[in-house]
């Protein structure tokens, strides 16, 4: 086997390992903010391969007031409700069966390039995550991506988030540990629109 062929296989194997790590790390608990400023290596880096999940303005008749975020976990769409019967729609990835948050919450905190730390429940379900128990610093390789919006109920953190991802190919699937993930470009757009106290409805 030639050296170039060996190098090619090594690159493919490394890419597979990194891709698997991105999916394995798809968690929700965050600690302090760390990493590059918002917008760093974001725009143009997360292609929306499937046109169904591209950010777009759509007609919306759900009845929620403008400024509300509505997540349809079954359809894999998040809507930011606008005025005049419109909404900005984003494709999302959702939690695996039985792990998704459902109900109403408010955005209690916002963070750019948050660090990630698996919860005790996540480690119990997936013991391999124990190696990340001390946390993963924020940045482009972090599974929470460019930004996170924290869901609160009654003033308490639910440990569920709307966040970016370093695995944009997962959009449209049920793969996470319960959080709602968007491409990094889309979470940056949603982050800019969203204020603390924004109502979130997850169905």
């Amino acid at each position: 086997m030639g050296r170039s062929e060996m190098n090619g296989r090594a690159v493919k194997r490394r890419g597979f390992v990194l891709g698997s790590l991105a999916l394995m790390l798809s968690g929700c608990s965050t600690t302090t903010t760390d990493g590059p400023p918002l917008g760093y290596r974001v725009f143009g880096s997360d292609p929306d391969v499937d046109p169904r999940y591209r950010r777009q303005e759509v007609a919306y008749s759900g009845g929620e007031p403008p400024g509300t975020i509505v997540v349809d976990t079954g359809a894999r769409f998040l809507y930011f409700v606008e005025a005049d019967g419109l909404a900005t729609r984003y494709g999302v990835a959702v939690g695996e069966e039985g792990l998704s948050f459902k109900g109403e919450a408010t955005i209690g905190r916002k963070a750019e390039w948050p660090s990630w730390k698996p919860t005790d429940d996540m480690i119990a379900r997936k013991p391999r995550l124990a190696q990340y128990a001390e946390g993963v610093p924020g940045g482009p390789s972090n599974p929470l991506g460019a930004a996170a919006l924290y869901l609160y109920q009654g003033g308490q953190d639910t440990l569920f988030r709307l966040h970016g991802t370093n695995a944009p190919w997962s959009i449209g699937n049920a793969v996470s540990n319960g959080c709602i993930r968007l491409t990094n470009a889309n979470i940056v757009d949603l982050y800019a629109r969203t204020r603390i106290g924004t109502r979130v409805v997850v169905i």
Side-chain angles (χ1 to χ4, degrees):
M1 180 183 299
R3 177 172 296 181
S4 61
E5 186 176 352
M6 290 176 61
N7 288 343
R9 289 190 178 183
V11 169
K12 289 180 181 178
R13 184 165 54 249
R14 187 178 303 118
F16 174 78
V17 170
L18 290 175
S20 300
L21 178 64
L23 289 175
M24 181 177 72
L25 288 180
S26 53
C28 301
S29 181
T30 57
T31 53
T32 57
T33 301
D34 190 15
L38 195 62
Y40 176 76
R41 294 184 185 173
V42 171
F43 299 105
S45 63
D46 289 342
D48 290 302
V49 176
D50 189 329
R52 291 178 299 170
Y53 300 119
R54 292 176 185 158
R55 181 173 73 242
Q56 56 189 290
E57 188 174 79
V58 297
Y60 184 79
S61 59
E64 292 82 9
T68 305
I69 293 173
V70 179
V71 183
D72 184 339
T73 57
R76 313 289 199 260
F77 290 126
L78 180 152
Y79 299 86
F80 184 86
V81 181
E82 313 274 5
D84 302 320
L86 298 173
T88 300
R89 190 181 75 184
Y90 308 81
V92 298
V94 301
E96 298 172 12
E97 186 67 31
L99 298 179
S100 292
F101 173 88
K102 295 289 180 67
E104 294 195 20
T106 58
I107 300 300
R109 183 183 168 214
K110 300 170 61 174
E112 301 175 12
W113 295 106
S115 59
W116 174 81
K117 184 177 181 180
T119 64
D120 292 341
D121 286 345
M122 288 166 59
I123 293 174
R125 289 194 307 269
K126 300 177 180 179
R128 66 183 182 275
L129 297 181
Q131 62 186 307
Y132 306 106
E134 298 303 313
V136 178
S141 62
N142 187 284
L144 292 186
L149 302 170
Y150 297 64
L151 301 186
Y152 277 57
Q153 286 183 325
Q156 300 295 314
D157 188 356
T158 66
L159 300 182
F160 288 94
R161 287 87 172 87
L162 311 177
H163 64 80
T165 182
N166 60 1
W169 54 88
S170 66
I171 301 302
N173 297 294
V175 295
S176 78
N177 282 292
C179 291
I180 305 300
R181 71 171 75 155
L182 300 83
T183 62
N184 278 339
N186 282 348
I187 192 62
V188 167
D189 184 82
L190 182 64
Y191 185 100
R193 297 167 180 263
T194 303
R195 298 181 179 181
I196 299 297
T198 293
R199 178 169 169 255
V200 180
V201 180
V202 183
I203 58 177

